[in-house]
Amino acid sequence: AMLKRTCREEVAPVCELELLPLFGAGEGLQLYTKPTCSLYFYSNLQQTWTVKPGHLRPQPCFAIAVSCPSGAKRTGRDAWARLRHSLVPMLRQAAFLLLREARGILPLPLPSEAAFSDEAYRAEEGARAI
């Protein structure tokens, strides 16, 4: 009985995300800070998904990557650490606020039924309800 239980172990569901650059060919938005850093925006809205056992459907995700080439060098590490501690919390708050506003701008899906009844359209308009 113990052997059967070990063979039937629960496997946690898996969700795979494919984050693609949101703008062009992954071009960064340069911030004029000291040290200079860039923001890269990614989304999974164009991800294709196929049904696989044990896999979950990916939810829409958005990611921002912060890159600082001079912060990778020994001489720029302290300046990058100071900038990162002040920039990242502000960026995190601003990104969520902007994303919420941007989602409100997107067009709403079309309804499955007509807005007006067939009798509301006049024959001389040339419109025909199908």
Side-chain angles (χ1 to χ4, degrees):
M2 181 63 95
L3 183 59
K4 287 182 181 179
R5 260 187 268 153
T6 26
C7 292
R8 283 187 296 164
E9 282 186 24
E10 292 288 322
V11 177
V14 176
C15 181
E16 295 177 354
L17 290 178
E18 181 182 351
L19 294 171
L20 299 172
L22 205 55
F23 304 112
E27 300 158 0
L29 173 69
Q30 183 178 351
L31 298 180
Y32 295 97
T33 56
K34 283 213 179 232
T36 302
C37 62
S38 298
L39 301 178
Y40 296 90
F41 300 90
Y42 299 93
S43 171
N44 73 331
L45 293 179
Q46 296 178 4
Q47 179 178 355
T48 56
W49 182 74
T50 56
V51 179
K52 295 179 189 174
H55 282 70
L56 300 174
R57 181 181 184 90
Q59 297 296 313
C61 290
F62 181 74
I64 301 174
V66 182
S67 171
C68 178
S70 63
K73 298 174 185 165
R74 184 172 293 145
T75 57
R77 283 186 188 159
D78 292 335
W80 168 235
R82 283 192 303 276
L83 177 64
R84 189 177 64 230
H85 290 297
S86 62
L87 176 69
V88 171
M90 181 188 66
L91 182 62
R92 186 177 294 144
Q93 289 176 350
F96 283 113
L97 292 173
L98 293 173
L99 186 62
R100 183 173 53 205
E101 290 299 318
R103 291 184 71 130
I105 293 173
L106 297 175
L108 298 174
L110 294 174
S112 59
E113 56 224 20
F116 302 103
S117 66
D118 293 345
E119 294 80 34
Y121 295 101
R122 294 186 294 178
E124 59 262 9
E125 286 181 0
R128 211 174 68 195
I130 300 175

